[in-house]
Amino acid sequence: MNCDRLLAGYDYILPTERIAQTPAVPRDQARLLVVKANLQQAHGIFRDLPNWLRSGDLLVLNNTRVLPARLHGYKASGLPVEVLLLEPQPDDGEPNDDFSNRWLALVKPGRRLKPGAQIWFGQPSPQSGFGVDTPIVSAKVLATDSATSGRILQFNLPPGQSLRDWLETYGEMPLPPYITNSDSDPAQYQTVYADRLGAVAAPTAGLHFTPELLQTLQKQGIEQAFVTLHIGVGTFRPVEAEDITVHQMHSEWADVPLATVELIRKTQAAGGRIIAVGTTAVRALEGAAQTGQLQPFQGKVNLFIYPGYEWRVVDGLITNFHLPKSSLLMLVSGLIGRSRLLDLYEQAIAAEYRFYSFGDAMLILPEAKL
């Protein structure tokens, strides 16, 4: 079988010390690996980005905002549980951008939490024998979800209180599990342009931008447009099928507005290049173009991109360094090739780049695209 289709073909060894535990400060001081034509590369820092783009280019950024989605609760017995919210579940069962009190969530430990069970947050039940100074909130398990092994939870809040406000006060930022000793401020896990609450992980390529850098780019004639893709389990769910082409992505809610579509068309007509900031912006754009032409779009996206994909919108990409065997690694491989990408990763490890969410960045210029 073609190695591009084999899960083992997307593996690599990363020394533990190369996993970034804290972000660069300032944000734009992260290192930048620039991928050019013929696998040539250059090394710089992220604030050098204006030197590598040109007037007439368009950056497309994901403006999702990370939800304080991690909660610590307990069963009626008093045993603790951890809850990670994934996406809202309105009454019709269709995930969207609206807040509701019904959510798909991962619960740990959750094997024995059957439909009808209750999870409590705040003042504990009498059986538990411990106390915390937070308003009491409960969540009832309505159903299990076979696709994620999660639970559908219905939250019950005090009268007049919204789940959004309660989470902002009592929820925790859901940092990835490989960040084990980070002392970073939760605000450092949000992009500076995040304004649509609903993600459970950050669009990490965008974490490197500062307001000053965005302003510099705009003065240089590099425009900016926004899409929304609320990052959920579809982004970080591991690929387990040995033949990656049978992997099924979990759907995530996306919005590609008319204003962004019009700016993309204008840029393309003028000979400009579309540079996606992050793999989630890629999936939003390419997902909105699956009919063959980019159109305004609002709804669920489950697009899985890997080598052999026919690109419709994106010319270049700004991205971080991704986990082995991940769908994100496969997406980037679809842009420049699997063996080329793994060779670049090997060079980045040797050059002591920092990997994953708080790590350094890679700019894949359009001339490097397959």
Side-chain angles (χ1 to χ4, degrees):
M1 184 182 292
N2 187 331
C3 288
D4 287 350
R5 295 184 54 170
L6 290 175
L7 182 61
Y10 295 88
D11 199 9
Y12 68 92
I13 298 174
L14 182 70
T16 303
E17 62 269 20
R18 298 270 58 81
I19 301 175
Q21 296 296 312
T22 56
V25 179
R27 293 168 179 258
D28 59 4
Q29 291 299 303
R31 296 175 69 187
L32 180 67
L33 175 60
V34 182
V35 186
K36 303 185 290 183
N38 302 318
L39 203 59
Q40 298 298 308
Q41 67 270 343
H43 303 275
I45 57 176
F46 199 82
R47 71 176 181 186
D48 297 334
L49 184 62
N51 299 334
W52 294 102
L53 302 180
R54 63 193 188 200
S55 179
D57 286 345
L58 176 65
L59 290 175
V60 182
L61 308 103
N62 183 5
N63 64 4
T64 189
R65 185 172 182 83
V66 184
L67 180 75
R70 179 166 283 120
L71 299 167
H72 296 281
Y74 51 90
K75 302 177 184 180
S77 64
L79 292 176
V81 294
E82 181 179 292
V83 174
L84 177 64
L85 303 183
L86 296 180
E87 63 186 21
Q89 299 285 299
D91 291 341
D92 60 7
E94 292 294 318
N96 64 20
D97 192 37
D98 298 326
F99 252 73
S100 74
N101 288 348
R102 184 175 296 186
W103 281 74
L104 171 64
L106 299 179
V107 183
K108 184 173 68 175
R111 181 178 298 178
R112 296 185 179 180
L113 282 173
K114 307 298 183 183
Q118 295 276 355
I119 301 173
W120 300 87
F121 308 91
Q123 299 174 7
S125 63
Q127 300 99 312
S128 65
F130 64 93
V132 289
D133 187 20
T134 61
I136 189 166
V137 169
S138 66
K140 182 179 180 180
V141 178
L142 298 182
T144 58
D145 181 68
S146 59
T148 62
S149 299
R151 300 292 187 272
I152 307 298
L153 302 180
Q154 178 72 43
F155 283 83
N156 299 297
L157 294 106
Q161 186 168 37
S162 71
L163 182 61
R164 180 193 298 265
D165 292 342
W166 185 78
L167 289 172
E168 290 281 12
T169 302
Y170 299 107
E172 295 180 2
M173 193 62 69
L175 292 178
Y178 48 75
I179 297 178
T180 58
N181 60 351
S182 178
D183 295 323
S184 59
D185 187 311
Q188 293 175 293
Y189 196 58
Q190 302 277 20
T191 64
V192 297
Y193 46 80
D195 67 358
R196 297 188 70 175
L197 191 67
V200 299
T204 55
L207 295 179
H208 307 295
F209 286 92
T210 64
E212 295 77 16
L213 178 56
L214 290 168
Q215 187 175 40
T216 297
L217 288 161
Q218 198 157 31
K219 287 180 178 177
Q220 189 173 305
I222 299 161
E223 295 293 330
Q224 298 149 32
F226 294 93
V227 296
T228 304
L229 187 139
H230 287 327
I231 301 165
V233 69
T235 294
F236 56 81
R237 184 183 181 190
V239 178
E240 297 176 343
E242 188 54 40
D243 178 357
I244 67 167
T245 64
V246 303
H247 174 69
Q248 295 294 315
M249 294 284 288
H250 187 80
S251 297
E252 294 163 306
W253 190 90
D255 181 17
V256 180
L258 176 61
T260 294
V261 172
E262 290 177 339
L263 192 50
I264 288 173
R265 291 173 180 169
K266 179 181 176 182
T267 300
Q268 292 171 329
R273 308 177 300 178
I274 309 304
I275 311 296
V277 178
T279 57
T280 58
V282 169
R283 288 193 292 113
L285 290 173
E286 295 291 328
Q290 288 304 290
T291 59
Q293 183 178 7
L294 180 66
Q295 300 288 345
F297 176 86
Q298 189 175 94
K300 297 182 292 182
V301 172
N302 66 347
L303 180 62
F304 178 33
I305 297 175
Y306 52 88
Y309 175 76
E310 180 182 348
W311 296 89
R312 294 177 170 87
V313 183
V314 173
D315 299 312
L317 174 64
I318 297 170
T319 187
N320 281 19
F321 296 91
H322 302 295
L323 276 74
K325 299 183 177 181
S326 65
S327 65
L328 308 183
L329 189 67
M330 295 165 192
L331 183 152
V332 183
S333 296
L335 194 67
I336 61 172
R338 179 189 60 84
S339 61
R340 297 173 73 198
L341 182 63
L342 291 178
D343 183 62
L344 287 165
Y345 270 44
E346 185 176 325
Q347 294 179 50
I349 292 170
E352 298 187 346
Y353 275 73
R354 304 191 320 147
F355 276 55
Y356 304 164
S357 295
F358 280 148
D360 297 316
M362 174 185 290
L363 167 63
I364 301 174
L365 292 169
E367 55 263 33
K369 185 178 176 184
L370 288 175

